[in-house]
């Protein structure tokens, strides 16, 4: 009886010990090894390494701009405070009708500046005077949202615009009546990512900042708090 009981006890302890040890050692290591590549792949697919972390401008908006706007416009809830929705960067290329290579270089420059692949814009209707037919590529554009939008605006307001020659601020009259602001840039070489020796032509672009503000006054106050250098 003693030998039989001891054998059972040994079997029980061995049976108990094996899964327990495996769960602590092998299973956890295997789980970590399986999760790590998936996490890395998700990070790689969603955003490049440069976009890790919360954007500085987004934190500033949440911590500083929201309380000031609630005090200024007497909002009852933080959800009523206007926010940035998207930033659209557009390059129009009418001369791409004769030379399609201009569109390729413009798309490459726009991707370098924004960090996102542009979409080719095409003509909506035919115009015989400009030798334009419906569906022909005439430009490229990028729509930035979320963290990319905040990174781009932070760079635009603090690095790019001060590099403009004889810069005295941007106009306050470029609002559309619904709180959205459009800014025109004449030269793409003011962006630090653009190498002057590598470009084929100096070209401009339009930058539209879309907000959730109902009026131009609210949109202007929001952009001013974020750091947009308006002309005085």
């Amino acid at each position: 009886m003693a030998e039989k009981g001891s054998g059972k006890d040994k079997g029980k302890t061995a049976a108990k010990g094996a899964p327990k040890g495996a769960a602590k050692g092998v299973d956890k290591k295997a789980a970590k090894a399986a999760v790590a590549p998936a996490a890395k792949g998700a990070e790689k697919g969603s955003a490049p390494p440069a976009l890790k972390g919360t954007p500085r401008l987004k934190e500033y908006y949440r911590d500083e701009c929201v309380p000031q706007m609630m005090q200024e416009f007497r909002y009852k809830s933080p959800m009523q405070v206007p926010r940035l929705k998207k930033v659209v960067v557009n390059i129009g290329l009418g001369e791409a009708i004769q030379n399609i290579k201009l569109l390729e270089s413009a798309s490459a420059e726009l991707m370098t500046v924004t960090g996102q692949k542009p979409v080719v814009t095409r003509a909506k209707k035919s115009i015989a005077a400009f030798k334009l037919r419906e569906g022909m590529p005439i430009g490229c554009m990028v729509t930035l949202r979320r963290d990319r939008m905040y990174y781009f605006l932070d760079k635009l307001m603090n690095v790019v615009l001060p590099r403009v020659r004889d810069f005295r601020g941007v106009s306050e009259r470029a609002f559309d009546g619904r709180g959205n602001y459009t800014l025109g840039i004449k030269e793409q070489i003011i962006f630090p990512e653009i190498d002057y020796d590598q470009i084929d032509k100096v070209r401009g672009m339009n930058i539209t900042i879309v907000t959730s503000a109902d009026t131009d006054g609210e949109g202007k106050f929001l952009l001013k708090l974020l750091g947009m250098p308006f002309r005085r």
Side-chain angles (χ1 to χ4, degrees), residues 93 100-110 200-201 203:
L93 294 169
I100 195 64
K101 291 184 178 179
L102 294 176
L103 185 61
E104 297 176 0
S105 60
S107 298
E109 291 172 3
L110 191 56
D200 57 349
K201 182 181 179 181
R203 59 175 63 90

Side-chain angles (χ1 to χ4, degrees), residues 98-223:
Q98 283 83 21
N99 188 2
I100 195 64
K101 291 184 178 179
L102 294 176
L103 185 61
E104 297 176 0
S105 60
S107 298
E109 291 172 3
L110 191 56
M111 183 168 60
T112 302
V113 166
T114 60
Q116 184 172 310
K117 187 176 180 180
V119 175
V120 176
T121 55
R122 300 181 180 275
K124 294 183 179 180
K125 60 181 181 179
S126 302
I127 303 176
F130 298 107
K131 299 180 180 179
L132 182 66
R133 288 179 294 178
E134 184 180 354
M136 293 184 68
I138 54 173
C140 54
M141 62 173 289
V142 165
T143 302
L144 302 174
R145 303 177 190 272
R146 301 181 185 88
D147 287 356
R148 289 182 185 272
M149 168 184 67
Y150 283 103
Y151 280 120
F152 179 79
L153 278 183
D154 193 2
K155 177 180 67 174
L156 176 70
M157 294 185 294
N158 298 308
V159 178
V160 176
L161 289 179
R163 290 164 60 100
V164 177
R165 186 181 305 171
D166 299 330
F167 181 68
R168 297 180 181 178
V170 297
S171 174
E172 298 180 352
R173 302 179 180 179
F175 287 91
D176 64 347
R178 300 179 181 179
N180 306 319
Y181 185 76
T182 300
L183 171 68
I185 292 179
K186 296 181 179 180
E187 300 176 344
Q188 83 277 32
I189 57 176
I190 61 177
F191 286 89
E193 297 91 350
I194 301 296
D195 186 3
Y196 183 78
D197 296 330
Q198 300 296 327
I199 63 174
D200 57 349
K201 182 181 179 181
V202 176
R203 59 175 63 90
M205 62 183 68
N206 292 326
I207 301 172
T208 302
I209 304 171
V210 181
T211 70
S212 62
D214 295 328
T215 63
D216 289 345
E218 293 172 308
K220 179 182 175 182
F221 194 81
L222 171 62
L223 293 181

Side-chain angles (χ1 to χ4, degrees), residues 36 46 56 85 87 89 222 225:
S46 59
R56 179 182 63 174
K85 296 176 68 176
V87 174
V89 187
L222 171 62
L225 287 178

